[in-house]
Structures are given as C-alpha cells and as structure tokens.
Amino acid sequence: MLTKAPRGTKDIMPDQIYKWHFIENKFAAICRKYGFEEIRTPIFEHTELFQRGVGDTTDIVQKEMYTFEDNGHRSITLKPEGTSSTVRAFLESKQYAESQPTKYYYETQCFRYEKPQSGRLREFHQFGVEVFGSKSMLADAEVIALANDFLTDMGIEDIELRINSVGCPKCRETYRKALQDFLKPNYDNLCETCKDRYERNPMRILDCKNESCQEIVKNAPMMLDYLCDDCKESFEQIKNYLTASEIEYTVDPKIVRGLDYYTKTAFEFVSNNIGAQGTVCGGGRYDNLIKEVGDIDVPGVGFGLGIERLILLLDALSIEIPKPLNDKVLIAVMGENAKLFGLKLLSDLRKNGISSQMDLMERNIKGQFKFANKINAKYTIVIGDNELETETVSVKNMADSSQKQVKFDDLVKELSH
C-alpha cells in the first residue's frame, strides 16, 4: 500500500521531532565533553564487512541483514550496527598511524529484519561511541561512564548497569567445551535456534529468551569461572575503576551480547520499564575486530544505544522533554500593497533570526488568525492600508490577546525580546 510505511519502520513527525533534537544535542554535548569527535559513515557497506566483523554465526548475519546485489553485481548490506562501519572508516583513513587513542561518536540509522515489537524496529536509530587503540581497562570505564552520564543527564534513575567478562579466544575455547558438555544431555529440549547455536556459538544459548532454554541453562557453568589470568585481572580492574568513578554495577554472568566480536568486558544498561526486552544501551571490548577486518592489531571498546528505546523509556518514566520556546510570528495582510510590504518585512525578520511566516493560502483576515493558532504563533502582525500609512503595525500576543502598536523601525527589536 503506497500510503502505509513498510512494516517495522516509523515516521518521525513534526510534533515529535523536538524530542529527537533535544536528545541528539544532549548526547553530542556529553561526547564532546569526553573528548570524542563525530564520525558519519555510509548507510550501506560491502556485505563481507559484517560477515567478518559481526560474525557469520550471529543471528544478525544469518537472519536479520538487509542484503542485496547492486547493479555492479556486488553484495551490499544496509548497516545492521555502527561499529563495523566505524572500524572500516578508521582503517581506510589510516587513522591507526596517528597517535592513539582515537575516540569517535556517531548517530546512525540501522536495519535489521526482525519481528517488530515494542522499541524494536526494522529501521532504527542508534547512538554509538568507539575508542580505538587502548588495551587499558580505563577505556572501558570511560565509555561506561559516558553512557552513565548521558542516561543520568536525561533524568533516568531507575536503570541498572550489568557487567560481565566474555573472556578471550584462549579461555573461551575451554569454556565452550565445558558448556557443550553441560548442555549435551538436554540438547533435544533446546529450541531450534539454540540447537543451531550449540555447535557454532553455545554462549548465545545463555542469552536465549525461551523459557525452556532458560531453565536448562539455570545451573550452567559460567565464563567467569573459566577466565585466564589476564582476563581475570582485566575484569577486576574494570570493577575497581567503576567503583572509583562512583558508578554502581551488578555482575551478571549471563550477559554475552549478540555479536561475535566481543572480548573481555561486556555490559548493558537495563530497565524494567520497557517490557521484557529491557536493554537500553549495550557494549563492550572487541580487541580482535580491527585485526579481523583489516589485519591491523588495534584494540577497541564501545557501545550502542537505541534512540527509539530510549524515548520509550523516557515516556514510561514520564520524563518530559522540554518543547522549544515558541517564537513564531505570523504576518497577516489585508490588500495587495500590504502583501508586498509583508514580503519585505518577512525577509527582514528572517534575516534577523526571527521565525516568521505568511499565509500561503491567501485566506481572509479571519482565516489568517485561525492559521496563526494552528501553527501556534506567539505573535500575529497585522498589516493593512492604515498600517502602511502610519508606518505602524499592530502586534498581537496570541497567548493573552493583548495588542501593541509598534513602529516599523522598532519591530525587530520588539520581537527579539
């Protein structure tokens, strides 16, 4: 149907866009305060980037990517997440040759073919930050602190930070075998998705939302018990750094994240106010991703934060986003001469930064005042033959209906108050 948006997409209409502007400005301001610089990457990439970066064992790559062949017979994929594209841009621009760390932030559209549900869309918007070049857990603590500051600045208090370590390839292989041995007796009782995960990526079974699978893994061995000495020390460091930063957290050994590239730190900010899918922000460390994509050994850490889910949470918590101040002016005209002068006045007001309009439908004066109410104008300026003769206009305050006579030359000053 031509007049209906595709399933899983949502229009952002003018009566809602102010919320987006407010949140975007808040996020950008906090990122700049932390020394992050903005990056913008294409909305689509070569499919292989996500196959190698996100991982071909993930649900995203196997089931959820929007992939197509372009006219040059190249496989192209709409961006399902922001990190891989940022890594590609970092490598292509050779920023790895500069002094490190490199700190990026971004806002981007992402696309995943999944069942639309509360806060989950097929086209969605995501904030993200990435730090490249540092192996120190100070970088992990920094991105978590930034996310925490942003959510706090938005007025969100009822949210919990959960952290885990997903280890490194060295200790994860030992854990993988232990987890498979534990699951094997109950293999037939796993859901079809988790049966597929059993060989390819058994850690993802811990994150399954299926109740029967959750019951099976209730007493499963946890990665934290299999960490190598280096991963164990790193996890202790991140906990100490968060404590020093006065950031409360809970250790949750079942956090594994849905992307293959994570190593060591994995974290989520979770709320119980937006249903079962309560993760608002999630991220972690990915020390092997850049090497996997570009054969350059550079560590990284970052997070992604869904904007639609954030707005859903703000609404659930009744947190009001302030509407922009009303400074609109409507110039109401009577007669052809008044119309011509109104156009000149319109230009003058706009040049001086005053939001102003004329009625493009050329209604009568009564209709123009109705239009002023429709656009929520703060002031209506009436111009007719009499006003042109006296070089004075009537300025009506639409909130209290008070009126004031103002000379042409004083109008900008009057409306700028």
Side-chain angles (χ1 to χ4, degrees):
M1 187 184 297
L2 293 178
T3 57
K4 189 173 179 63
R7 188 166 186 239
T9 66
K10 188 175 182 180
D11 301 308
I12 308 168
M13 301 302 287
D15 65 341
Q16 293 294 309
I17 199 66
Y18 75 94
K19 295 182 180 180
W20 289 72
H21 291 162
F22 181 84
I23 293 168
E24 289 162 352
N25 290 336
K26 283 275 190 183
F27 185 73
I30 284 183
C31 287
R32 289 193 295 266
K33 193 186 339 181
Y34 273 73
F36 285 72
E37 297 181 299
E38 185 178 10
I39 185 172
R40 301 186 184 189
T41 57
I43 206 166
F44 57 84
E45 299 275 1
H46 294 291
T47 302
E48 186 183 6
L49 173 66
F50 301 115
Q51 290 172 334
R52 295 182 66 180
V54 175
D56 57 11
T57 67
T58 62
D59 289 349
I60 292 174
V61 169
Q62 288 204 329
K63 304 175 184 178
E64 298 174 1
M65 294 202 311
Y66 280 89
T67 297
F68 59 94
E69 190 175 274
D70 70 5
N71 291 341
H73 305 294
R74 292 169 289 256
S75 183
I76 297 296
T77 295
L78 297 179
K79 192 189 304 181
E81 53 90 46
T83 301
S84 296
S85 294
T86 309
V87 165
R88 194 265 314 144
F90 172 76
L91 290 166
E92 186 173 352
S93 62
K94 294 183 171 57
Q95 287 297 302
Y96 54 82
E98 304 294 331
S99 177
Q100 299 303 317
T102 299
K103 299 163 74 174
Y104 294 130
Y105 78 91
Y106 53 84
E107 177 191 350
T108 188
Q109 287 167 277
C110 295
F111 301 84
R112 295 185 192 176
Y113 190 86
E114 58 182 342
K115 182 180 178 181
Q117 53 187 298
S118 180
R120 297 279 187 190
L121 297 170
R122 291 175 176 172
E123 180 199 34
F124 59 98
H125 300 77
Q126 191 176 74
F127 290 138
V129 304
E130 317 291 350
V131 178
F132 300 144
S134 174
K135 291 185 176 181
S136 170
M137 290 296 110
L138 288 171
D140 303 49
E142 169 127 317
V143 299
I144 292 174
L146 191 157
N148 185 73
D149 277 1
F150 172 63
L151 294 169
T152 300
D153 206 33
M154 291 304 304
I156 300 169
E157 296 176 354
D158 186 18
I159 197 163
E160 182 182 17
L161 168 62
R162 299 179 186 174
I163 66 170
N164 188 26
S165 175
V166 294
C168 66
K170 176 184 171 184
C171 52
R172 198 180 296 169
E173 191 54 41
T174 306
Y175 174 64
R176 174 193 178 96
K177 179 68 170 60
L179 184 57
Q180 285 177 322
D181 289 345
F182 173 84
L183 293 169
K184 192 172 183 178
N186 283 298
Y187 175 82
D188 291 338
N189 297 320
L190 294 172
C191 70
E192 290 304 312
T193 300
C194 286
K195 285 178 181 177
D196 189 42
R197 290 168 172 168
Y198 178 83
E199 289 294 341
R200 295 184 298 104
N201 192 357
M203 281 183 69
R204 293 286 288 120
I205 298 175
L206 300 177
D207 198 35
C208 181
K209 301 299 185 286
N210 185 295
E211 288 185 14
S212 62
C213 292
Q214 280 295 304
E215 185 64 27
I216 290 170
V217 301
K218 190 165 60 175
N219 297 311
M222 294 299 168
M223 184 72 238
L224 290 178
D225 297 324
Y226 289 80
L227 296 179
C228 64
D229 290 342
D230 179 53
C231 289
K232 200 176 295 182
E233 182 182 354
S234 295
F235 194 53
E236 289 305 311
Q237 285 177 342
I238 184 62
K239 290 192 287 184
N240 289 336
Y241 294 158
L242 291 175
T243 300
S245 301
E246 299 182 322
I247 298 174
E248 295 183 3
Y249 65 85
T250 299
V251 174
D252 183 348
K254 288 189 177 180
I255 290 179
V256 295
R257 305 295 299 149
L259 309 172
D260 280 359
Y261 54 61
Y262 284 112
T263 56
K264 296 187 176 180
T265 308
F267 68 88
E268 294 179 350
F269 282 88
V270 179
S271 170
N272 295 319
N273 291 286
I274 50 174
Q277 302 289 329
T279 302
V280 178
C281 170
R285 175 164 285 275
Y286 43 87
D287 284 346
N288 301 315
L289 174 60
I290 297 176
K291 188 174 183 180
E292 183 69 30
V293 171
D295 207 28
I296 304 288
D297 192 9
V298 178
V301 60
F303 70 70
L305 190 156
I307 303 177
E308 284 87 353
R309 293 181 66 71
L310 175 62
I311 291 175
L312 194 68
L313 177 58
L314 294 173
D315 289 343
L317 296 175
S318 300
I319 296 175
E320 291 287 334
I321 294 177
K323 290 185 176 182
L325 293 175
N326 178 20
D327 59 356
K328 295 176 185 173
V329 173
L330 179 77
I331 299 175
V333 297
M334 295 178 289
E336 194 63 26
N337 290 334
K339 190 188 304 178
L340 294 175
F341 182 76
L343 288 170
K344 177 186 179 304
L345 182 57
L346 197 63
S347 177
D348 290 342
L349 294 180
R350 288 170 174 170
K351 286 176 183 175
N352 282 277
I354 297 170
S355 173
S356 46
Q357 299 184 51
M358 280 176 60
D359 176 22
L360 302 182
M361 303 304 293
E362 300 197 57
R363 299 174 178 90
N364 60 27
I365 192 66
K366 184 177 179 181
Q368 291 179 67
F369 269 99
K370 285 184 178 178
F371 179 63
N373 285 323
K374 180 181 182 296
I375 66 170
N376 194 30
K378 185 176 183 180
Y379 297 109
T380 298
I381 298 171
V382 179
I383 304 173
D385 291 339
N386 186 57
E387 283 75 21
L388 293 175
E389 287 179 15
T390 61
E391 297 187 356
T392 302
V393 293
S394 174
V395 178
K396 181 177 180 179
N397 185 318
M398 299 299 289
D400 60 14
S401 296
S402 62
Q403 294 192 134
K404 182 184 290 188
Q405 300 301 117
V406 180
K407 287 286 187 183
F408 288 169
D409 292 344
D410 297 332
L411 193 54
V412 169
K413 183 179 178 181
E414 177 68 29
L415 295 175
S416 297
H417 287 167

